[in-house]
């Protein structure tokens, strides 16, 4: 697949191994911004969560992608996004193919 795994971000590796890491702002063809914060993960021995879309894999680094702490953070982010989102889902052009709807169902 890849020549050097160190050149990949955790979110790219998660796609290969079919690990679900929710995200809104990541796309392979765009620069990494990490604005949505939905892809937060815990790195062992790190004080703060980091964004998976911007976290390059290092030698033997250990991460947790779905802990209680991360779930609470993601739920808070999702709640904030939904508070500021229009309530036109039934008539929206993206209804049925909306990442926000799909991720909301996970939580």
């Amino acid at each position: 697949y890849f020549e050097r795994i160190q050149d990949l971000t955790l979110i790219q590796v998660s796609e290969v191994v079919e690990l679900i890491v929710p995200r809104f702002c990541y796309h392979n063809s765009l620069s990494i911004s990490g604005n949505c914060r939905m892809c937060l993960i815990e790195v062992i021995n790190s004080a703060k969560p980091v964004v998976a879309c911007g976290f390059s894999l290092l030698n033997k680094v250990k991460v947790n992608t779905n802990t209680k702490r991360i779930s609470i953070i993601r739920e808070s982010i999702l709640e904030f996004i939904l508070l500021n989102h229009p309530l036109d889902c039934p008539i929206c052009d993206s209804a049925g193919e909306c990442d926000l709807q799909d991720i909301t169902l996970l939580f």
Side-chain angles (χ1 to χ4, degrees):
Y1 286 49
F2 306 100
E3 290 181 27
R4 292 176 22 151
I5 198 160
Q6 291 85 0
D7 295 336
L8 300 177
T9 62
L10 183 75
I11 207 152
Q12 290 170 321
V13 172
S14 71
E15 290 177 351
V16 173
V17 298
E18 297 179 3
L19 174 68
I20 297 173
V21 177
R23 79 282 190 140
F24 292 120
C25 66
Y26 174 78
H27 190 279
N28 277 332
S29 301
L30 300 175
S31 63
I32 296 169
S33 63
N35 289 333
C36 73
R37 294 292 194 231
M38 280 302 290
C39 67
L40 282 175
I41 57 168
E42 284 184 345
V43 177
I44 304 299
N45 298 326
S46 176
K48 297 180 182 180
V50 297
V51 289
C53 62
F55 183 72
S56 297
L57 290 180
L58 307 170
N59 291 334
K60 298 182 182 179
V61 67
K62 294 183 180 181
V63 297
N64 291 320
T65 60
N66 199 17
T67 63
K68 181 73 171 169
R69 178 182 178 199
I70 293 298
S71 292
I72 290 169
I73 292 170
R74 287 180 183 160
E75 286 175 8
S76 299
I77 293 167
L78 191 57
E79 183 178 346
F80 177 75
I81 291 171
L82 289 171
L83 281 173
N84 295 300
H85 191 71
L87 298 174
D88 62 351
C89 287
I91 58 170
C92 177
D93 292 337
S94 297
E97 297 180 16
C98 175
D99 290 339
L100 182 58
Q101 288 176 350
D102 294 342
I103 290 175
T104 302
L105 292 175
L106 290 175
F107 292 93

